[in-house]
Every structure is written in C-alpha cells, then in structure tokens.
Amino acid sequence: MRLSAPMVVLAVSALVAACEPPSGAAVIGYAFPRDGQYAALVAAAALPSDTTIGAIRIVGDWDSGGIESAVEIARARRLVALPGVMGVVGHAGSRSTLITAPIYVDAGIPLVVPTATSSRLWELGEWVFPMAPTDSIEAAFLGEAAVDGLKASRIALYFVNTAYGTGIRRELQRWLTSRDLMLVDEVPYVIGADLQTLVEASLQRSRPDLAVLVGRRIEVAQMAALIFEHDPSIRLLAADGAYDQLAELMLAAGPAADSLYLTTFWVADTTIVVQRDFIRRYRLETGREPSPFEAMRYDAVMVLAQAIREVGPDRGAVRDWLRSLGADRPPYNGVTGDITFRRGARHNLMLVRLQEGVPVTVPEAGVW
Amino acid sequence: MATGSYPVAGRWRRAMSVRTLFLLLVGMVGLYVLGVSFFLAARMHPGAVLLRQDTEPVVELFALLNSRSQRLEAEVRDLQGLVSLGPPGYPAALRRLQAQLSETPDEQSTRAFTDVPEAMRTAMATADEAVARLETSALEVVSLLELGRYEAAAARMMAVNALAGEMNRHLAEAERRGLSDLVRREDELSSATGQALRAVVVWLVIGLFFLPTVLFLAYRRLGRPLRDLEEGLTQVAEGDLNVQVPVRHADEIGRLADHFNHMTAVLQERAEEQGRFAAAGELIAGVAHEVNNPLMAISAITQQRLEDNDLREDDRQDLMQILRQSRRAGKLLSGLLRFARSGSEPRAETANIGKVLSEAIDLVSYQFGVAEITLNAGIDPKLPRVYGDPARLEQVFVNLLSNAIHAVRQVAPPRTIAIASGVDADGVWLTLSDNGPGIPTTLHRRLFRPFVTTKGRQGTGLGLYISRQILRDAGGEIEADEAPEGGARFKLRLRSAGERDWLITPRDQVRPGLPATLEGVRILLVDDETALRRPIARFLTRRGAAVEEAGDGIEALERIAALDGKFDVLLADLRMPKMDGVALHEELRKRYPALADRVVFLSGDLSHLTSGSRTMQAGESTIPADRILLKPVLLEEVETRLLQVVQKAPPAA
C-alpha cells in the first residue's frame, strides 16, 4: 500500500509515540526513505523518558516516492512544519541533503546529516551538521587504497551520476592528479541505464586493473558482478555507499562479492559495550544486523536527543550544543565512535572484504 | 527692547542651554535624515539584496544547465550522425564523444542548487537529473557503437532523443519557473520601492511641517534675544545707558542679557556719580572764587594789621592765628579744586612726586585727627621727578590714602599709616602701608579689577583699578601685599624723569643786584572787590609803591590811558565784572604791548589755571602760569612776584 505523506507521519508518530507519547514533546524529525527507518525505530526504543523536558518524540517521514528532488523537498517541508521539532536527521544522500538543507536553514532547525558525504554540505551554514567524512576525504582514502594498498596502475571509475557520485569522482581525480595519475575511464550511471553495455564497452575500451565503484549497494553489486564476469582479475573497490545490508549485496554481486573491497565508516565490534547494546537492540527491534548507515543514523538521532536533553527544547541552544562538541565539551560517544561536527576532525574509514559473508578489515589498505 | 528697569530676576523661564538646544536640533535633523535614509534602506535594500542574491544563482545555474544541455544536444546530434552512418563505425569519433560525455560537469552546479529559491529548486533539480539521464543514455549508445551493436544503438538512440526532449521540457519548465520567480520578485521589489518612495514623500512632508517649528524655535531662542542685545548695544553706543534688554530664558544668551543689563546699570550709576562729581567740581570752582576773595581780604587785612608796630602782643598772636587759618583754608580749597578738575585737564608729562604726595596728604589730612590716625610720611626730599601727570598721580595717592584711612578705622587705635619712598636702579618707589585688617585673601587676585571693593555700598570698586591704570599709563606699576604690621601694603613704582626738582620759592627767584623793593614802582591794582583791593593797595603803598586802583578792566584801561601807559606793573584780578583780567590783558596786548608783559594776575578760581601747563589761553593772548597768583596769597608773595616782573621788564617809558 502506498501511504500518503501525512498518513505516514501519523503512523510513525503513533508507532514511536507508543514509547513516549505526551503532547508538547520535543520532536526529532527523521528524513529517510522507507528502507532507512530501522535506526529511528531502534533509537525511539532506546530513548528514555526525561521528566525535565518531557518526552523526545521521533517523527519519521518517508514516502515510497524514492529520493527524487521533489519528494525530498516535500518531505523537508513537512518536517519543518512539525510542531515542536527541535532538529532533523537526514537526508539520505548528498543530492537530497543539498537540495533540502536551505529549507532547514531558513527555518532555523538543526539538520544532522549522518551519511551524506558531499563537501558542499559544509558550506550550508551554521544549522547543518555533517557527520560522515567528506567526499574529498573518502576519495583520498580510496585513492590511497587503490594506488598504495592494492598497487593499481589503471583505475577506472564507475559511479552514479548524482551529487554523491560526481563528488567522489571530482575528488578522486584531484587526488590522482596530485600523484601524477589519472583515471583510465569514467562511466556515469543512472537508474534505468544499460549498465551491462556501459561496463562492457568501458572494459573493452580501457582495460583497467582496478575499478572504483561508487553507488548504492545494488548498483555497486551489479557493477561488480558485470566487471567480475568480464575479467575476474580486475580488483573491485567500492565506496561507502555499497556497505549496507551485506546479505543483499552479496546476493546481487554473486561471485564478485568475495573480490569486493568495501569502504565503510563502521564495522560492528561487539567487544565495545555501546556497540554491543546497539547491535542487540537493533536485532531485537528489526531482526536484522545493523549496517554502518543504520549505526550512523542511530548516532545522529541519539546525539540530537542528547542535545535536547541537555539544553532543553530550544533550537538555537541545540545548535550551539552540537557545535560545541569537541570544542567546549567532549565529543559525543556514539556507536560509530566519537562524534563532533568540526570539519577536518578524524573520521573512521576502513577497508573491508567479505569472507563468507563476514566483513574483515584489510590491513594493507590502512585504517583512517 | 526697553529703556529703564526690565523685570528679570524670578521671571526667567527655565530652559535648556543654547548649546543643548543646538545639539538637540542638530541631533533631531541628523536623526531625521538618518531615519529617512534608514527607512529607505530598510524598505528597499533587503528586497534588492534578496533579488540579487536569488537572481545570481538562478542565472548562474541557468547558464550552467544551458551550456551543459547545448553541449549535450550537440553531442547527441553527433551521436545520431554516427548511428546513422552505421558500420564500420568511427572509433576515434566515438572515443572523442565518450570523453566529452564523461567530462565532469561544472562543480558549481551542485552548489547552485542550494542557492536558488526553493520554488525553483525542484524544477532545477529535475532538469539536472534529466541531463544526467541523457548523458548516461548517450554514453550507452556510444558503448553500443563501440561494441559494434549498431542496431541496438539505433534503437537506443530513439530513447536518447526522447530523453533529450524530456531534458528540454524540464529545462524549459525550470526556466519558466525561474523567470516567473524573478518577475514576482521584481514586482515585489517594485512594489516595495513604490511604498518606500511614498513613505519618503510622507516623511518629507512631515519634515517640511516641522521645519517652520524648528526655525521658529531657533529664532525664538537665538534670533530674538540676539536682536534685543544688538539693539541694546546700539543704544549704549549712542549714549543711552538707561537701556535694559529682556531676559527671556535662563540660558547662555539669557545670562548674557542679564550681564548686559547689570553692566548698563553699573555704567549708568557710574555716569550719574561722575556727573555728580563734575557738578561738585563746578560748584567748588564757582564757590572757590567767592571764598578765596574774602580769604584773601582777611589775609591781606590781617597782614596789614600785623604791620602795625604798636600792636599788642596778644592781638598780634590772634592776628597771626587768623592769618594761618585763612592760609590753611585757602590751601585746602586749592587742593579740592585741583583734585576735582584733575580728570578734565590736559596732562603734564612729569611730576614732582614729593609735592604731589604732600598735596594728596593735605587733601585727606583732616581725617587723620578725627580718626586718631598717625601718619608716618617718609618722603625723600631729593626724589627726582617722575613721569606722569601730577593731578592724576595725586588722584592715585588720594585713593590709596582714602583706602588706608577706611581700613585703619576698622581697627582700634593705635592706627598708623606709613609712607616710605626712595630711588633705585628701576626708578622711584613708594610704599603705603597701614595696620588695618589687611586685604582678604579671596580678593588678592582680583584686587585691581573693576568693581572689586571691601567697602560695600560705600565704595565703587574702581579706585584701585583706576590707580593702576594711571600708574601703568605713566610706565609705573602697583602691587599689593601684606604689611609687616599685618595690614595692607601697596608698592608703587614710577619711572624717573631724571631731573631733580627742588622747591623754589618765588623769593629765591628774585635776581640779586637789582632793586629789591617796590620803592617808586608805579602799580595799577585792578580788582572789583574793594575789601580786597584796599588792603593790598595800602600794603603796596607802605612798601613804597605808587598805587593806582581800578574796579574793573575798563576802568583800568581808562587809568592807563590817562597816564599814557606809564605803569611799571599791573596787578589784576582775573574775574571781574564788565571786563575781566583776560580781556584786559588782550586789550593791553593791542594797545600797550610792553605793559601786557608786566601784568600779574590774581585768581581765586583755579579753573583759570591749567595745572602743569605753563600757559593759559584767553582769546589770542597767552598768559604764563607763573604770572598768576592763587588767592589767598601772602602779600609778601604778591610783592615778590611784582618785583620779579619789574626786574624782568625794561623800565616803563
């Protein structure tokens, strides 16, 4: 059933309000499409009630319309109009975040961006708080992994033709140029395009020894499968967008999955209490294993909730609290590590391979 | 403007100062200008800035998308051509096309999405997505051609063309929205501009409404009081000291007006006082003649009686006392006359300072006895002459002595006033000190300023001020400090004129070796006062002179004519009926020039004598001052002066 947006809002409210439903509660907006809902559910379950400020309510807004610009803008408008909204977590990608961020900036609502990587996010003003490493950082990481770690000399790039993909491409080109190298081929991709033809012609044209794949898990899986099928010797290096729901990735990638190097911001470590609790709760609530994206979204919700808890339902104060992390106050200890919103702060970036479905860190590529 | 007393005290309206008013007016005008400017800026600037802010990224993004879409359309056309050509294909052209389609789009486009107005963002993003889809689809066709799948490429080319059309539609839609948004903003700005201009007009009208108020206020507070003051000053310049200006406010100009009124009141008071002094002087001068004549008569008769050898000793002593007292009275009268006329007479250049000081002491000496004041006057008899007019210097000493007398009266006896004098390298110095209460400390700095007095209503506060001016005019100076005895001490310094001025008596001037008696000297005595003329005539006759008498100038001329001018000397009163002494002298100059030089005049009125001057003017004739004897005068002095004239002149024909 396709739910209208207001209905979705109500439904999610009801769902979350089952935990803490009092009226006048501080609200955290959650701006992710349907498949990103799990972190919100886990976070809602994790949020304790607070007698000082009342309950913190998470109101999700997802529409089955995908992440097209119009849908994202409409979503942002609805979240901004929510009574008591103290902050929003979202949006899913760089493009959707860039398009919607001005709406939050104009409304004076803190926007915590957990997974988008565009460097442009840092130029959107004092109300936007990117959590993930920027595309320039990730591109440098990918470049080092490819050139220094995997010793590649002919690198081709296959990317989704969105702000995320073009951002990684631009920064990777820059990084390679700084090393007197260049991509042997660049292949943009959009949903609906004939990926097989594009890949086949590209491989014939450029004969790379390493392919950098930039896209979401299905797109990357398809690219990997096609490349692997054509030439199994080509190393496959995926950007962070692929590391989400590994089971689906492995299923779509087929035999190529074992050859795939995945970039991720987080790998679950059950030896760490915070992570162990999160993973346990995530499994309990969803019956699934948390992905790095879910962990990041969960941290985004929880850091916003912590801000509201400490300073009260005041957007300006929440903004200042977030900005003070790592400066006037210690970083927030999240599931994915220490969280600050300071540009240039150290981020967790790791390269992993899948061994029988289990991610294993690749030591030679280094850990950022 | 008013003449006479103007109500001031207690009626001032409390008002802010002119400076405050001026600052307030400037502030109001500044605020007004700032307000209008700020209003204009506030109404128009945000709209203009917003329009510019929103327009720039829209235009920028349009330019990017158009550039990208035009390039893409060209590439699609090239691609269409390659597809139409079919096998064997053109690898080089395909590689070029592939590279062009894979080129990084301008990185600004992503940021531009965030800057465009929200209403346009969706359309722009959709158009951008359409461009991306077209790029990828075109790449697909390139790839198919590269792989030699020409039929598939041709089929896919149809989809590419459809996507190109879709891209153009989205771009057109974005452009339409962009233009619509711009037009709307332009309309808003235009509307805001119109409103702002209307509001500015309203503000200007309000400003114009307030302008007369401001001008009226400025005129009322500044113009009118200044006009009053100007008119008042004009009246003062024309000699009207009875003018008072209205004091409208308790501000600076109000205080100025009050000071002006006070000044004119003081000037008026001084003028009246000066007028009274002048009148008193005139009165004294008028009375002096009438008093001096009887004094002279008393003196002459007394002297004549004293010539009687048969006089009893008691009677002689009484007559001597009468003679002394008449002389004292005459001297006092002369001093008074001299002092009263000192301000109106031409000034001499040098003065015998000892004589001046003695005469000043004489003027005030009557108070010493009454107030039990001891005067210790240490006057060096060999003081040189000093620069300065004697009469004015006498005024200085009288002022200082009067002050000292007033001061010592405030303390119990013994009361002392001490005068010391001397000469040093800088000139002549004098000190005048008393044992009074001294000068109040608060007055030390202001002592020589006008209207400063310790005498209250009894003093004018001008004495010391004028004294200093007189001394400074003479190149001297005066200063005050505390006397060793505890009272006040004034130190005077005067420039020395160099020459010694010994007191020379008329007798000293009689040249030895020449006749020293009036024996045989023909004298014509001319005086209308018989009571005076007779004893003088008898005295001169007893001295051996042949004396003829006349009651006035006309009668004298008749006697002279009768004797054909054969008189050795004339003794004539200056003030007489019918023809006075001056007119007589004038006639003598015409008819008997030689005799005109042998006239000795008697006068009871000092006003005929110019103090310090050697001559007096009467018509065209000039009478040397040393030829005038002031009544009362000792008969011996008359004799001496007559002898001098006789000795000096050639014998009468």
Side-chain angles (χ1 to χ4, degrees):
Chain A
M1 183 180 68
R2 183 186 175 91
L3 298 174
S4 69
M7 286 174 67
V8 170
V9 173
L10 288 172
V12 175
S13 294
L15 177 66
V16 177
C19 301
E20 287 296 336
S23 61
V27 169
I28 295 173
Y30 191 73
F32 284 94
R34 184 177 301 277
D35 60 355
Q37 65 182 292
Y38 304 106
L41 294 173
V42 176
L47 283 177
S49 60
D50 191 312
T51 54
T52 307
I53 60 164
I56 298 174
R57 200 155 52 119
I58 303 169
V59 177
D61 182 339
W62 49 81
D63 194 307
S64 55
I67 57 169
E68 288 178 2
S69 303
V71 174
E72 293 293 334
I73 287 175
R75 176 179 290 138
R77 282 181 185 152
R78 285 195 295 275
L79 288 173
V80 164
L82 281 176
V85 64
M86 291 297 115
V88 171
V89 175
H91 285 228
S94 293
R95 182 189 186 88
S96 58
T97 308
L98 286 168
I99 289 171
T100 56
I103 297 172
Y104 300 105
V105 171
D106 289 347
I109 294 174
L111 174 67
V112 180
V113 187
T115 52
T117 55
S118 173
S119 301
R120 308 288 181 216
L121 294 170
W122 290 95
E123 300 167 5
L124 294 177
E126 58 182 0
W127 295 93
V128 180
F129 297 89
M131 274 176 61
T134 61
D135 44 21
S136 60
I137 293 174
E138 186 172 356
F141 178 82
L142 289 169
E144 283 190 13
V147 175
D148 299 333
L150 301 175
K151 308 299 181 189
S153 58
R154 295 182 60 80
I155 301 168
L157 176 67
Y158 302 86
F159 63 99
V160 289
N161 199 357
T162 63
Y164 167 56
T166 55
I168 294 283
R169 178 175 74 162
R170 182 182 60 246
E171 297 302 328
L172 186 58
Q173 283 174 332
R174 279 183 184 165
W175 187 88
L176 288 171
T177 302
S178 73
R179 300 286 290 263
D180 293 328
L181 296 170
M182 59 184 296
L183 293 166
V184 294
D185 201 9
E186 301 165 45
V187 180
Y189 168 75
V190 292
I191 293 173
D194 181 359
L195 187 58
Q196 183 173 356
T197 301
L198 289 170
V199 168
E200 192 178 344
S202 166
L203 295 176
Q204 181 179 309
R205 180 170 59 236
S206 60
R207 284 190 283 281
D209 60 0
L210 185 142
V212 175
L213 313 176
V214 182
R216 289 177 297 178
R217 64 179 182 277
I218 299 302
E219 294 154 351
V220 169
Q222 288 174 355
M223 290 174 190
L226 288 168
I227 294 168
F228 187 80
E229 183 185 343
H230 187 270
D231 183 353
S233 67
I234 298 173
R235 273 81 51 86
L236 303 170
L237 177 58
D240 67 287
Y243 198 149
D244 185 19
Q245 305 307 320
L246 291 179
E248 293 176 19
L249 174 70
M250 289 169 63
L251 188 64
D258 290 340
S259 301
L260 201 55
Y261 291 86
L262 295 164
T263 304
T264 182
F265 307 142
W266 179 70
V267 175
D269 184 349
T270 53
T271 62
I272 299 172
V273 176
V274 179
Q275 294 193 25
R276 188 169 61 236
D277 289 349
F278 166 68
I279 293 166
R280 182 180 53 76
R281 195 183 296 274
Y282 194 90
R283 286 172 182 160
L284 186 67
E285 294 290 332
T286 67
R288 300 154 59 112
E289 290 296 319
S291 71
F293 289 155
E294 292 302 316
M296 298 278 280
R297 289 168 191 158
Y298 175 82
D299 273 350
V301 172
M302 296 307 284
V303 74
L304 202 46
Q306 183 65 26
I308 297 168
R309 194 176 288 123
E310 288 200 16
V311 300
D314 179 330
R315 292 169 180 174
V318 168
R319 175 200 60 191
D320 295 341
W321 189 93
L322 293 172
R323 195 156 298 286
S324 69
L325 286 176
D328 300 334
R329 65 182 76 240
Y332 177 77
N333 185 21
V335 169
T336 57
D338 288 342
I339 295 172
T340 68
F341 299 101
R342 307 185 69 74
R343 191 169 193 177
R346 184 178 177 81
H347 292 279
N348 292 328
L349 269 171
M350 289 166 281
L351 199 63
V352 298
R353 293 189 72 174
L354 298 174
Q355 290 183 355
E356 297 177 355
V358 178
V360 177
T361 305
V362 179
E364 64 268 27
V367 177
W368 280 36
Chain B
M1 181 55 47
T3 296
S5 177
Y6 212 96
V8 285
R11 292 201 178 180
W12 290 8
R13 274 177 285 170
R14 297 300 304 172
M16 66 183 73
S17 70
V18 171
R19 275 168 292 192
T20 309
L21 178 70
F22 178 74
L23 287 175
L24 191 66
L25 286 177
V26 169
M28 282 171 64
V29 171
L31 274 178
Y32 173 76
V33 172
L34 275 177
V36 171
S37 308
F38 183 75
F39 175 78
L40 263 178
R43 289 299 299 270
M44 298 179 69
H45 184 70
V49 168
L50 211 59
L51 183 67
R52 185 184 168 194
Q53 279 179 351
D54 289 346
T55 305
E56 276 182 357
V58 169
V59 171
E60 190 180 326
L61 189 55
F62 269 134
L64 286 169
L65 285 176
N66 282 327
S67 160
R68 195 172 161 195
S69 64
Q70 284 169 11
R71 193 197 67 200
L72 198 51
E73 281 178 347
E75 288 163 356
V76 168
R77 278 196 300 275
D78 292 348
L79 191 57
Q80 180 70 59
L82 288 174
V83 170
S84 304
L85 285 173
Y90 297 88
L94 284 174
R95 274 197 296 277
R96 181 179 53 79
L97 262 180
Q98 194 278 334
Q100 287 174 352
L101 289 166
S102 302
E103 257 181 27
T104 307
D106 194 311
E107 62 185 53
Q108 294 297 321
S109 64
T110 312
R111 191 179 67 181
F113 279 121
T114 62
D115 296 335
V116 297
E118 191 186 326
M120 299 171 56
R121 213 173 296 151
T122 308
M124 289 289 192
T126 308
D128 188 56
E129 286 162 6
V131 170
R133 277 198 297 274
L134 179 59
E135 281 175 346
T136 306
S137 294
L139 269 177
E140 268 183 67
V141 175
V142 171
S143 298
L144 287 168
L145 288 176
E146 282 178 332
L147 294 170
R149 301 173 191 165
Y150 296 101
E151 288 181 8
R156 189 64 187 163
M157 196 63 215
M158 292 171 67
V160 167
N161 286 330
L163 282 173
E166 188 184 342
M167 179 193 74
N168 285 331
R169 276 198 307 279
H170 285 304
L171 282 174
E173 172 63 14
E175 196 167 0
R176 188 189 64 75
R177 290 199 185 188
L179 285 173
S180 169
D181 187 75
L182 284 179
V183 168
R184 182 180 59 77
R185 287 172 190 282
E186 218 172 350
D187 288 345
E188 285 176 2
L189 183 63
S190 178
S191 171
T193 305
Q195 285 179 7
L197 287 176
R198 281 192 294 277
V200 166
V201 169
V202 171
W203 274 103
L204 287 176
V205 169
I206 292 171
L208 286 174
F209 176 75
F210 276 109
L211 186 62
T213 310
V214 171
L215 290 176
F216 173 74
L217 198 61
Y219 170 74
R220 189 181 164 83
R221 291 297 305 278
L222 297 173
R224 195 165 59 173
L226 287 175
R227 189 199 60 197
D228 292 342
L229 272 173
E230 185 187 2
E231 289 177 2
L233 286 168
T234 304
Q235 284 184 251
V236 170
E238 289 169 355
D240 181 5
L241 295 177
N242 204 23
V243 61
Q244 294 277 284
V245 297
V247 181
R248 301 181 186 280
H249 301 280
D251 54 15
E252 292 91 329
I253 297 179
R255 288 196 293 277
L256 195 61
D258 187 48
H259 293 322
F260 175 86
N261 290 342
H262 181 67
M263 182 187 74
T264 52
V266 170
L267 286 174
Q268 173 71 10
E269 194 178 319
R270 298 289 174 264
E272 288 171 2
E273 196 172 357
Q274 203 168 11
R276 283 196 298 276
F277 279 134
E282 289 296 324
L283 193 63
I284 289 170
V287 169
H289 181 262
E290 301 306 320
V291 175
N292 272 334
N293 277 343
L295 280 177
M296 182 69 193
I298 292 168
S299 174
I301 292 168
T302 305
Q303 286 179 66
Q304 189 183 356
R305 294 295 299 160
L306 284 170
E307 294 285 326
D308 187 355
N309 293 328
D310 298 333
L311 207 60
R312 287 194 306 145
E313 188 55 30
D314 291 348
D315 294 338
R316 181 176 296 279
Q317 288 302 322
D318 290 343
L319 289 172
M320 288 292 286
Q321 186 63 24
I322 291 169
L323 187 60
R324 277 197 298 272
Q325 292 305 321
S326 64
R327 288 278 296 168
R328 183 185 167 202
K331 198 175 179 183
L332 185 62
L333 203 58
S334 301
L336 278 175
L337 273 167
R338 190 172 55 249
F339 187 75
R341 295 185 173 279
S342 59
S344 60
E345 294 164 356
R347 297 171 188 176
E349 289 182 355
T350 61
N352 181 331
I353 190 67
K355 183 181 176 190
V356 169
L357 188 54
S358 297
E359 288 172 350
I361 292 169
D362 284 345
L363 271 178
V364 298
S365 60
Y366 72 96
Q367 298 183 69
F368 293 147
V370 175
E372 300 177 60
I373 299 169
T374 305
L375 176 69
N376 299 322
I379 304 171
D380 186 349
K382 293 183 178 179
L383 286 177
R385 292 185 73 84
V386 296
Y387 286 103
D389 178 66
R392 288 164 62 79
L393 291 177
E394 184 183 37
Q395 188 180 348
V396 172
F397 292 124
V398 169
N399 281 338
L400 293 176
L401 285 166
S402 296
N403 287 346
I405 291 166
H406 181 271
V408 296
R409 275 181 164 171
Q410 297 174 49
V411 299
R415 299 170 177 141
T416 309
I417 296 174
I419 298 172
S421 63
V423 185
D424 59 19
D426 296 327
V428 176
W429 60 265
L430 292 104
T431 62
L432 193 150
S433 55
D434 62 61
N435 67 341
I439 303 162
T441 312
T442 54
L443 287 184
H444 265 287
R445 292 171 61 86
R446 303 184 292 125
L447 195 60
F448 293 100
R449 293 182 188 172
F451 310 121
V452 174
T453 179
T454 59
K455 301 176 186 171
R457 299 290 298 175
Q458 295 177 342
T460 62
L462 290 171
L464 287 177
Y465 167 71
I466 292 170
S467 296
R468 187 171 68 170
Q469 289 303 115
I470 290 171
L471 288 169
R472 283 183 175 177
D473 286 348
E477 188 53 276
I478 182 172
E479 53 190 47
D481 64 0
E482 195 172 320
E485 299 81 13
R489 179 170 63 177
F490 290 87
K491 294 178 180 176
L492 286 74
R493 183 163 291 283
L494 286 156
R495 283 199 303 143
S496 170
E499 57 180 292
R500 301 276 180 186
D501 191 20
W502 300 93
L503 290 173
I504 301 171
T505 63
R507 175 72 65 183
D508 295 331
Q509 296 173 358
V510 175
R511 285 182 283 179
L514 290 173
T517 68
L518 293 174
E519 191 68 41
V521 175
R522 288 163 293 180
I523 298 173
L524 176 59
L525 178 57
V526 189
D527 199 316
D528 59 317
E529 293 274 350
T530 309
L532 178 61
R533 194 177 69 230
R534 292 301 305 163
I536 294 174
R538 282 199 293 274
F539 173 80
L540 294 175
T541 303
R542 224 177 356 255
R543 292 295 187 185
V547 181
E548 291 283 337
E549 295 180 45
D552 53 53
I554 292 172
E555 190 181 342
L557 286 174
E558 289 172 355
R559 292 296 177 98
I560 292 168
L563 291 176
D564 199 18
K566 290 180 179 172
F567 283 102
D568 295 312
V569 63
L570 261 73
L571 180 62
D573 191 12
L574 275 174
R575 183 181 287 187
M576 294 180 294
K578 297 180 184 175
M579 179 182 281
D580 64 10
V582 177
L584 173 63
H585 187 254
E586 190 73 10
E587 283 300 316
L588 288 176
R589 279 211 169 280
K590 292 173 185 172
R591 301 184 199 177
Y592 309 99
L595 193 54
D597 293 333
R598 285 181 274 137
V599 181
V600 175
F601 293 97
L602 283 169
S603 176
D605 181 359
L606 197 67
S607 63
H608 290 290
L609 183 62
T610 303
S611 174
S613 172
R614 299 297 179 190
T615 60
M616 67 166 286
Q617 293 287 332
E620 294 180 355
S621 67
T622 301
I623 301 172
D626 60 0
R627 299 274 290 280
I628 300 172
L629 292 171
L630 290 176
K631 298 173 186 175
V633 63
L634 286 174
L635 294 177
E636 283 81 1
E637 285 184 26
V638 176
E639 180 188 11
T640 303
R641 189 60 56 91
L642 290 172
L643 275 172
Q644 285 175 348
V645 172
V646 170
Q647 286 178 350
K648 205 179 290 180

